[in-house]
Amino acid sequence: MVAELFKRNRGTRDVEPLGPVDYIEPVASTSEWLKEHVVPTRSGTVSYVKSLFPFLTWIYRYNWVWFVGDLIAGVTVGIVVIPQGMAYAKLASLPPEFGLYSSFVGVAIYWLSATSHVISAGPVAVFSSLLSVILEHALPQLPEYADTPWIIAGCLSVVLGCIVMAIGLFRIGFIVDFIPLPAIAAFMTGSALNIAMGQIPTLMGNNTADGYNTRAATYLVFGNFFKYIKHCDLNAAIGLTALFMLYAVRWGCGYASRRWPQHEKTFFFINTLRSGFVILLYTLISFLVNRNHHDDPKFSILKTIPRGFQHMGVPVVNSRILSAVAAKLPSAIIVLVIEHISIAKSFARLSNYTIDPNQELIAIGLTNIFGPFFGGYPATGSFSRTAIKAKAGVRTPLAGVVTAIIVVIAIYALPPVFYYISNAALAAVIIHAVGDLISSPKSIKMFWKVSPCEFVIFWIGVLVSVFASIDNGIYASVAASAALLLFRIAKAHGRFVGVVKVYNTPTLRPVDANEPDSDTRNVFVPLDRSNGVNPAVQPREPHAGVFIYRLNEGYLYPNAVHFTDHMVREIKVKTRPAVINPYGSLGERPWNDPGPRHKSESDIDPTLPVLRAIILDFSGVSNVDVTSLQNLIDVRKQLDRYADAHIAWHFVGVKSPWARRGLLASGFGSENGVVKSLFTVTNVGMSQEKDDVEPGSRDEEFSVDTQPEDKLGMTSMDTMVLPLLSIDCPYFHIDMDEAVRSVELELGLK
């Protein structure tokens, strides 16, 4: 019987389709889903284990060309990371040598598990500042570590490393994607302002004034700076001139690169190494000024830096330290993960390659687990050093080993030189480095143009960071972003759509739609033309009593009621009830049923149609849940009472097999005794040997074999007609045209 529906005329004879056409889609099963997504296969397990060691995919192809690029990039980053590492350690309220230890571990271990060749892991300004806040919070509870705060930092590093590594191993790094760019930009900008303002007193020399707390909220540090400005000393001369020189070299090299592009590489390396040059210059000045004032220097200097790894050992991890830092763990995890992943993704896009976020989390987790064994504190990806590494021509992650060698040389050979490094010059280096983390006016303006709500979120994060703390700024921006996301999901709008007949034309001139070469088709657009359709175009509404409703978001429990309330409200405005008083007596009438006390025919507009059918466009819906489907069941019952008939619900573009399973289980998509009235089919050619067909009788329209006939014999193409969707679900449709025509056939409208 079904085969009779699919007869196709080819030439002068009818050809029956070959084989069965009664396609029935198997119902999605839990066991198959578990087998596909949860139960590991042998090949999947092998692939997973190999992915943990990405260096094995390229190390055997290492060559001299790569080595030269890695050597240049590694040495360049090494020269930069030495002063930065010591400066960031002081920012973290730790002795300077711990910045060197973290710098070594970051580059020495990270490369083994990295999927990005440009990331330079190690101490960074934002996390160092946050670590200072964590130590300030924990030390009152742990007075025994007042002289050894690095023990707390080491414990924190191990815990963070284990958590982050677990996120990567269990492949749940996608949670990072829930933190949007404005929230990241907000905490970066707020942190940069916090760090820069906290370093200005050190730059100016009034940080030692009695009562001046440079760890307070940013606005307090700023206000108190002017209160204690009279305490500024010779450090201001060192710090200000060093900061001026850093910016002068940067701007000068930028101008020179544009002016003499043939020497761009030379100016790049001069610009890249400006921090090292400035530190060396002011260290020389400090030596000349303070060599005869060893015990009482004229301005603040680092003084003694121990040679070698003096704090190697097994890190201390105990419940007292964990309980003291537990409240700060969420913000620490967010900073550690977000800063690294955002940098890795940004440079991957610039270099036209992809990273594995989960593997990056494993790499940074390993770095922080093993870091404290060498005396390091938590490390993550550095934006400034990564940019330098990329521009220096790095070829593979092995460049980190070169940087590690440079740092080890500095740890063992340069401590006598470090003695005379100016603290004001280090503050200038920090201020100069964090300046790049502040969002540019162009970026902020783009936030406003794209999404005013996210523009507000950005400023919420910045202001909370400035007037409270960095961790509170993180929480505020992330919470505001989550609230906006939930609001957008819960208040998603559906649209009633109509049909417009269109055609494509290379010129804006009238075309007769009946011409043979005119490519006309139907498109379904919102009746209110809210998707940018020309206001002069009027979509044609479906037949009277038939409504097409498009869901523009996922149909889930947060927005199910919002969708259906809007749909039912509009349907009742455009239709009339089939029965004036379906409740019988006045006592049976619900208290919240609007209208006059006694309804009559005069209370109803007789020109309005009765509801006959509903078509739901599910092409934008990827999943459904129990709550949303129960809501749909309730609405169906409500509208059945309203129309005093069983209303047919048709669904278009149901993509997920689990959504189809849920709809079928809820009584949608199929009904007993209902046979599909319209099929969307495709022709599939079947090749077979042909000995009895005359030349020229072959119909190329149904042929999938376009090769010419050859000496192997002539071939014939018989046509099998196959339905695209399961034939046992008459209310599921492949596109809107099929759904509309099915409704027309079902209701006898055409």
Side-chain angles (χ1 to χ4, degrees):
M1 176 181 177
V2 176
E4 291 293 325
L5 295 172
F6 296 106
K7 280 190 176 183
R8 290 295 180 269
N9 184 276
R10 193 180 69 178
T12 59
R13 60 196 183 107
D14 291 339
V15 179
E16 291 281 345
L18 301 176
V21 296
D22 51 341
Y23 165 66
I24 306 295
E25 180 189 17
V27 178
S29 67
T30 305
S31 59
E32 290 181 358
W33 186 90
L34 291 174
K35 187 181 297 184
E36 182 178 353
H37 295 93
V38 178
V39 179
T41 61
R42 182 175 180 180
S43 60
T45 302
V46 172
S47 176
Y48 175 78
V49 173
K50 286 183 178 180
S51 71
L52 299 178
F53 307 98
F55 74 93
L56 295 176
T57 62
W58 56 265
I59 193 69
Y60 64 90
R61 293 183 283 113
Y62 203 79
N63 54 69
W64 282 105
V65 176
W66 291 3
F67 174 73
V68 172
D70 289 344
L71 179 64
I72 295 172
V75 171
T76 304
V77 174
I79 295 173
V80 173
V81 76
I82 292 170
Q84 274 194 359
M86 292 188 292
Y88 293 158
K90 289 181 66 64
L91 181 62
S93 301
L94 296 174
E97 62 267 23
F98 287 91
L100 296 176
Y101 304 154
S102 294
S103 300
F104 165 75
V105 177
V107 293
I109 295 180
Y110 167 75
W111 74 274
L112 290 169
S113 303
T115 59
S116 171
H117 68 294
V118 298
I119 292 292
S120 177
V124 296
V126 175
F127 195 91
S128 297
S129 180
L130 180 61
L131 178 59
S132 176
V133 174
I134 295 173
L135 293 177
E136 186 179 11
H137 170 80
L139 283 174
Q141 306 172 55
L142 304 167
E144 64 271 28
Y145 298 116
D147 297 327
T148 56
W150 52 85
I151 293 178
I152 301 175
C155 176
L156 180 65
S157 181
V158 172
V159 172
L160 290 177
C162 291
I163 294 174
V164 172
M165 186 175 177
I167 294 173
L169 287 173
F170 288 106
R171 296 300 193 251
I172 53 177
F174 64 87
I175 60 176
V176 178
D177 297 331
F178 284 95
I179 303 179
L181 178 59
I184 297 173
F187 106 79
M188 287 287 193
T189 300
S191 300
L193 294 173
N194 183 289
I195 294 167
M197 193 63 242
Q199 289 300 304
I200 287 177
T202 304
L203 184 86
M204 301 298 292
N206 63 347
N207 59 312
T208 56
D210 292 338
Y212 192 3
N213 181 14
T214 59
R215 303 292 179 182
T218 305
Y219 79 100
L220 291 176
V221 178
F222 178 77
N224 289 332
F225 172 78
F226 297 99
K227 180 180 178 181
Y228 295 99
I229 197 170
K230 61 183 178 181
H231 296 282
C232 294
D233 54 20
L234 187 59
N235 285 284
I238 299 295
L240 289 175
T241 54
L243 185 61
F244 173 80
M245 184 173 293
L246 286 167
Y247 278 105
V249 173
R250 178 177 178 174
W251 292 331
C253 289
Y255 172 78
S257 296
R258 295 188 297 270
R259 179 67 176 80
W260 296 285
Q262 66 272 23
H263 301 295
E264 181 179 2
K265 200 72 172 178
T266 301
F267 292 121
F268 160 74
F269 281 107
I270 295 174
N271 186 31
T272 297
L273 302 177
R274 62 187 181 277
S275 296
F277 292 155
V278 169
I279 291 296
L280 287 175
L281 174 62
Y282 281 89
T283 300
L284 176 60
I285 294 173
S286 175
F287 171 74
L288 296 175
V289 172
N290 295 310
R291 59 181 175 174
N292 296 324
H293 306 278
H294 197 271
D295 297 326
D296 186 23
K298 296 294 184 181
F299 47 82
S300 177
I301 57 176
L302 286 183
K303 296 188 176 180
T304 303
I305 302 294
R307 188 190 303 270
F309 292 92
Q310 297 296 321
H311 299 278
M312 290 184 68
V314 179
V316 176
V317 180
N318 57 49
S319 59
R320 293 192 69 247
I321 298 178
L322 292 178
S323 62
V325 302
K328 302 292 184 179
L329 278 178
S331 59
I333 294 171
I334 292 173
V335 172
L336 197 74
V337 170
I338 288 300
E339 189 163 5
H340 184 86
I341 297 300
S342 60
I343 292 170
K345 286 185 176 180
S346 297
F347 281 92
R349 286 192 295 268
L350 292 174
S351 302
N352 195 28
Y353 69 94
T354 58
I355 64 160
D356 182 353
N358 291 304
Q359 185 59 33
E360 286 296 315
L361 294 179
I362 293 173
I364 209 66
L366 284 173
T367 300
N368 284 289
I369 290 172
F370 288 101
F373 288 88
F374 296 86
Y377 69 91
T380 188
S382 166
F383 179 84
S384 60
R385 297 195 298 272
T386 298
I388 291 170
K389 193 175 179 182
K391 292 181 181 179
V394 64
R395 303 302 297 269
T396 71
L398 200 62
V401 176
V402 178
T403 302
I405 294 172
I406 299 297
V407 175
V408 169
I409 293 173
I411 290 173
Y412 281 95
L414 298 181
V417 178
F418 295 156
Y419 183 93
Y420 290 100
I421 291 179
S422 166
N423 283 319
L426 285 179
V429 169
I430 294 174
I431 294 171
H432 182 66
V434 300
D436 292 332
L437 300 180
I438 299 176
S439 297
S440 65
K442 181 179 179 181
S443 298
I444 299 173
K445 185 179 180 181
M446 181 58 67
F447 293 161
W448 172 258
K449 288 184 175 180
V450 174
S451 175
C453 292
E454 292 183 292
F455 173 83
V456 173
I457 289 175
F458 169 81
W459 283 111
I460 289 174
V462 172
L463 292 175
V464 173
S465 298
V466 169
F467 287 95
S469 62
I470 293 176
D471 50 338
N472 287 334
I474 296 170
Y475 295 145
S477 58
V478 171
S481 299
L484 177 62
L485 175 64
L486 292 175
F487 178 82
R488 286 173 170 171
I489 294 174
K491 297 299 181 181
H493 291 286
R495 291 287 185 269
F496 287 92
V497 302
V499 63
V500 177
K501 181 166 285 190
V502 299
Y503 55 86
N504 296 329
T505 175
T507 60
L508 293 177
R509 62 177 182 83
V511 174
D512 186 359
N514 296 320
E515 291 181 5
D517 59 346
S518 64
D519 183 18
T520 61
R521 66 186 187 280
N522 291 331
V523 295
F524 293 83
V525 299
L527 294 174
D528 59 4
R529 287 152 295 187
S530 58
N531 63 340
V533 172
N534 190 336
V537 176
Q538 182 60 50
R540 177 172 56 83
E541 295 191 29
H543 296 278
V546 178
F547 294 89
I548 305 174
Y549 191 68
R550 175 175 293 159
L551 286 76
N552 297 321
E553 297 280 350
Y555 184 60
L556 301 169
Y557 69 91
N559 58 22
V561 173
H562 186 72
F563 271 130
T564 53
D565 282 355
H566 173 246
M567 181 181 69
V568 171
R569 185 170 56 251
E570 291 297 317
I571 287 176
K572 288 188 174 182
V573 168
K574 296 181 178 181
T575 60
R576 58 180 172 85
V579 179
I580 298 175
N581 184 11
Y583 307 105
S585 66
L586 187 63
E588 296 296 326
R589 182 176 172 182
W591 63 272
N592 58 348
D593 184 28
R597 179 178 178 84
H598 297 284
K599 292 185 177 181
S600 63
E601 293 185 1
S602 61
D603 299 318
I604 300 174
D605 185 356
T607 62
L608 294 176
V610 176
L611 176 63
R612 305 186 68 181
I614 296 174
I615 300 173
L616 291 183
D617 185 355
F618 262 46
S619 57
V621 176
S622 56
N623 289 290
V624 295
D625 55 33
V626 173
T627 306
S628 62
L629 287 177
Q630 183 59 50
N631 176 260
L632 208 59
I633 293 172
D634 296 340
V635 170
R636 178 176 60 182
K637 293 178 180 178
Q638 176 188 1
L639 293 179
D640 283 353
R641 287 196 304 268
Y642 176 76
D644 194 31
H646 180 69
I647 301 302
W649 291 65
H650 295 255
F651 296 84
V652 176
V654 184
K655 294 177 286 191
S656 168
W658 286 92
R660 290 193 290 273
R661 168 175 160 158
L663 288 167
L664 289 170
S666 302
F668 295 97
S670 179
E671 292 184 15
N672 292 331
V674 177
V675 179
K676 198 173 182 70
S677 58
L678 189 70
F679 297 86
T680 297
V681 300
T682 185
N683 296 329
V684 178
M686 296 187 64
S687 177
Q688 65 180 20
E689 293 296 324
K690 178 177 170 114
D691 297 324
D692 57 345
V693 177
E694 298 84 359
S697 65
R698 184 173 167 192
D699 190 346
E700 295 293 339
E701 180 181 355
F702 297 98
S703 174
V704 295
D705 183 4
T706 59
Q707 296 180 357
E709 300 165 356
D710 55 26
K711 61 183 180 181
L712 295 178
M714 298 172 60
T715 60
S716 167
M717 301 302 296
D718 285 321
T719 301
M720 173 180 284
V721 181
L722 300 179
L724 267 66
L725 296 182
S726 181
I727 65 172
D728 64 337
C729 299
Y731 296 116
F732 288 163
H733 306 283
I734 194 68
D735 61 11
M736 197 70 75
D737 273 328
E738 180 191 320
V740 172
R741 292 173 184 172
S742 294
V743 170
E744 292 172 347
L745 288 173
E746 182 180 10
L747 300 178
L749 298 175
K750 274 193 178 180

